[in-house]
Amino acid sequence: MLSRRNFLTAAVGVAAATGLAACAKEDGTSAAAAGSGSGSKAITLGFSQVGSESGWRTANSDSVKSAAKEAGYTLKFSDAQQKQENQISAIRNYIAQKVDVIAFSPVVVTGWDAVLKEAKAAKIPVVLTDRSVETSDDSLYVTLVGSDFTDEGRRAAKILEKVLEKAGHKGAVKIAQLEGTTGAAPAIERAKGFKEVMEADHADDWKVVVSQTGDFTRAGGKQVMAAFLQSNPDINVLFAHNDDMAIGAIQSIEAAGKKPGKDILIVSIDGVKDGFVAMSEGKINAIVECNPLLGPQLMEVVKKVKDGETVERWIKTKESDFMQDQAKDALPTRKY
Ligand code: GZL
C-alpha cells in the first residue's frame, strides 16, 4: 500500500501542496514566516476522525485533542461515524474555513483523490494519521504518521507460534479471522502480513477456515464469532484484527460453552486496557500493540509542514507485543 519514500519526495510534496506557503516563506509573507517566532498559536488544524468504534479510536481521539491543546493549536475536530462521505464533507469544510493544515485518519484506502486535489488547489497541506490511502498522486498528502499494519499482521502470526507452543498445542491449527472494517488499511494489511508468515512457515498445519469483517466493533466481533462457531465448531484459534472484536467474540465463545484462551486460543491487535484485562483473566493469549497515542508526533509534524520544512514520508509509531504472562505487570503502566 504505502511504500516508504525518502524525505526528498516529501520535500516535493510539501512544496507542491503548499506552493503559496513555500513562495510566501521565500518572500516572508506567510503567517508562519512572518510569525515563525510566534510558536504555534497561529496554527489552525482541521482533523477528521474515523469514528468512535473502538477503545483504540477513543484513545487516539483523546491523544489528538490533548496534544493540540498542549501545542496551543486551534483544533477543528469531526467524528465521521465510520462513513467516508462524512470525512469528505468535513475536509471540504476545513478547506472552506481555510485551516492551515488538514489531518485525517481515512476510514478506507480508496476514494480520496478528488477531495485531496481540492485541498491541494487551496494550498492546504494534508497529513494522514493512523491509516494510509491509495492515491494516483503522491503530492496529495505530505506524510503518514502511523503504524506498519502489515508488520502487525506478521507479528500476530509470529506470536501465535509462541502461544501454540506454550499451550502445548498438537494437530491442525484451524483459524477464525475477525477482520477489521472492509477496505480499511489495517484490515487489508494485517490480513496480508499474517498470511505472509502462515504461507511461508505453516503452509502444512495452519489454515484460516473462516474469515469475515466484524468492523472493528465489539458488537461485530460477538455477532460474527457466534456465526463462526455455528459453521465451524472445530475452530481452535481466533485471530482478531483488534481487541474490541476479540472481547465481543469472547462473549460468544463462552455462550457456546467453550473456554476462550484455552479451547480457542486468541491473538489480537491494539493493546487497549480491556484487552489487557481479558489477557490477565486468561481469555486472550497474546496482544500485538498498535499505539493510538499519535497526538504529540502529529502536532510536531503539523508545525513542520506549516513552516514548509521537509518531513519523512512515513513516520512510524513504536510498539511492542505482549504474551499473557506479561499482562498483570503491564496493566498499571498502560496509558490507553
Ligand atoms: C489501527 C486503527 C484501527 C484499530 C482499531 O491503527 O486504525 O482502527 O486497530 C480501530 O481498534 O478501530
Side-chain angles (χ1 to χ4, degrees), residues 50 53-57 82 105 130-131 147 149 152 181 186 190 215-216 241-244 269-270 272 290-291 294:
V50 167
E53 73 282 359
S54 64
W56 190 99
R57 188 63 57 198
Q82 290 189 285
S105 170
D130 172 24
R131 299 181 182 180
S147 303
F149 302 130
E152 290 174 353
T181 302
R190 284 169 182 167
D215 208 18
F216 281 132
H241 288 187
N242 83 331
D243 296 344
D244 284 76
I269 298 179
D270 274 353
V272 295
C290 174
N291 189 344
L294 306 176

Side-chain angles (χ1 to χ4, degrees), residues 292-305:
L293 308 181
L294 306 176
Q297 271 179 309
L298 174 62
M299 298 315 147
E300 268 173 48
V301 168
V302 163
K303 178 94 179 55
K304 286 183 177 173
V305 167

Side-chain angles (χ1 to χ4, degrees), residues 272-289:
V272 295
K273 198 158 280 174
D274 287 349
F276 272 78
V277 169
M279 213 164 30
S280 66
E281 292 168 348
K283 297 182 178 178
I284 290 181
N285 300 87
I287 292 181
V288 167
E289 187 182 46

Side-chain angles (χ1 to χ4, degrees), residues 23-305:
C23 301
K25 199 162 160 53
E26 274 143 31
D27 62 22
T29 55
S30 76
S36 50
S38 61
S40 52
K41 286 276 177 256
I43 295 181
T44 299
L45 170 64
F47 188 93
S48 167
Q49 180 59 292
V50 167
S52 45
E53 73 282 359
S54 64
W56 190 99
R57 188 63 57 198
T58 305
N60 179 248
S61 295
D62 292 348
S63 176
V64 168
K65 289 173 182 172
S66 56
K69 188 159 182 271
E70 179 68 26
Y73 296 179
T74 300
L75 177 67
K76 295 175 184 290
F77 185 95
S78 58
D79 172 337
Q81 294 159 333
Q82 290 189 285
K83 291 183 175 57
Q84 181 172 32
E85 61 270 24
N86 291 348
Q87 289 201 283
I88 289 172
S89 61
I91 291 168
R92 287 199 165 117
N93 283 336
Y94 297 146
I95 293 168
Q97 295 169 52
K98 296 185 173 36
V99 299
D100 295 302
V101 180
I102 291 170
F104 74 115
S105 170
V107 59
V108 291
V109 294
T110 54
W112 301 101
D113 274 14
V115 72
L116 293 182
K117 282 179 183 153
E118 292 166 30
K120 181 178 174 181
K123 306 265 187 287
I124 300 176
V126 174
V127 172
L128 300 184
T129 91
D130 172 24
R131 299 181 182 180
S132 56
V133 299
E134 278 173 5
T135 175
S136 57
D137 175 354
D138 275 355
S139 73
L140 291 181
Y141 69 88
V142 178
T143 182
L144 163 69
V145 179
S147 303
D148 182 338
F149 302 130
T150 307
D151 198 45
E152 290 174 353
R154 294 189 198 103
R155 286 158 48 198
K158 297 307 283 178
I159 208 163
L160 175 57
E161 292 169 354
K162 291 185 191 165
V163 166
L164 289 163
E165 187 189 353
K166 198 170 173 62
H169 182 85
K170 299 272 181 285
V173 178
K174 297 177 180 175
I175 302 166
Q177 180 174 223
L178 276 171
E179 301 167 21
T181 302
T182 302
I188 295 166
E189 294 169 24
R190 284 169 182 167
K192 179 176 154 228
F194 188 89
K195 189 172 179 221
E196 216 178 79
V197 173
M198 185 170 69
E199 289 180 344
D201 305 337
H202 301 285
D204 52 351
D205 57 340
W206 292 14
K207 188 171 185 321
V208 175
V209 295
V210 65
S211 186
Q212 192 181 323
T213 181
D215 208 18
F216 281 132
T217 66
R218 292 191 187 196
K222 180 178 180 181
Q223 188 183 349
V224 173
M225 190 67 203
F228 282 169
L229 290 166
Q230 289 287 325
S231 60
N232 296 78
D234 56 351
I235 294 165
N236 49 29
V237 168
L238 168 64
F239 167 40
H241 288 187
N242 83 331
D243 296 344
D244 284 76
M245 292 191 292
I247 291 163
I250 284 167
Q251 295 172 39
S252 294
I253 293 168
E254 291 175 326
K258 292 178 184 254
K259 286 195 179 62
K262 298 251 182 316
D263 302 329
I264 296 180
L265 301 173
I266 300 179
V267 171
S268 177
I269 298 179
D270 274 353
V272 295
K273 198 158 280 174
D274 287 349
F276 272 78
V277 169
M279 213 164 30
S280 66
E281 292 168 348
K283 297 182 178 178
I284 290 181
N285 300 87
I287 292 181
V288 167
E289 187 182 46
C290 174
N291 189 344
L293 308 181
L294 306 176
Q297 271 179 309
L298 174 62
M299 298 315 147
E300 268 173 48
V301 168
V302 163
K303 178 94 179 55
K304 286 183 177 173
V305 167

